Amino acid sequence: RKIVTNRHDKALPPNKISTTKYTCLTFLPKNLIEQFSKLANVYFLIIGLLQTIPAISTSNGVPTIFFPLSVVILISAVKDLYEDLKRMKSDAEENNLSLIHI
């Protein structure tokens, strides 16, 4: 067996930490799935869909609940994005630490 040191082995996986939940492409779909996994958001979505039926709606077919629902989802999405950016920054700091070889 031959061991060679101080040479990068491309067959090995990178030794980088990544604790982020999202990427640029997956933020919107993953976040919407996460938001609508909450029962309260699904409830208000169903109520909003029922409000579009004029025969059973008290708002003449105007889904008035969609605005508050979208505000709640938007605020939660911004919070999740902020937390994920903090995780990304923390990962970058951790991955850029210098090592001391003994």
Side-chain angles (χ1 to χ4, degrees), residues 9-79:
D9 188 1
K10 296 192 189 269
L12 295 175
N15 193 20
K16 294 208 178 238
I17 295 172
S18 178
T19 58
T20 58
K21 290 169 59 173
Y22 309 108
T23 64
C24 290
L25 295 175
T26 63
F27 176 75
L28 189 62
K30 279 187 172 182
N31 193 267
L32 284 176
I33 290 170
E34 184 177 330
Q35 293 302 323
F36 285 107
S37 68
K38 298 173 185 168
L39 191 58
N41 291 344
V42 173
Y43 170 78
F44 286 111
L45 178 67
I46 291 170
I47 294 299
L49 292 174
L50 288 174
Q51 281 183 337
T52 61
I53 304 170
I56 62 170
S57 175
T58 59
S59 61
N60 295 326
V62 179
T64 58
I65 199 73
F66 281 162
F67 179 72
L69 177 63
S70 61
V71 168
V72 167
I73 289 175
L74 181 67
I75 290 172
S76 296
V78 169
K79 176 193 68 84

Side-chain angles (χ1 to χ4, degrees), residues 4 6-14:
V4 179
N6 294 331
R7 205 164 59 169
H8 184 67
D9 188 1
K10 296 192 189 269
L12 295 175

Side-chain angles (χ1 to χ4, degrees), residues 76-95:
S76 296
V78 169
K79 176 193 68 84
D80 290 342
L81 179 64
Y82 176 71
E83 288 176 353
D84 208 50
L85 289 174
K86 282 182 17 182
R87 276 190 222 105
M88 189 183 304
K89 182 180 176 186
S90 173
D91 292 345
E93 289 174 2
E94 188 69 30
N95 289 330

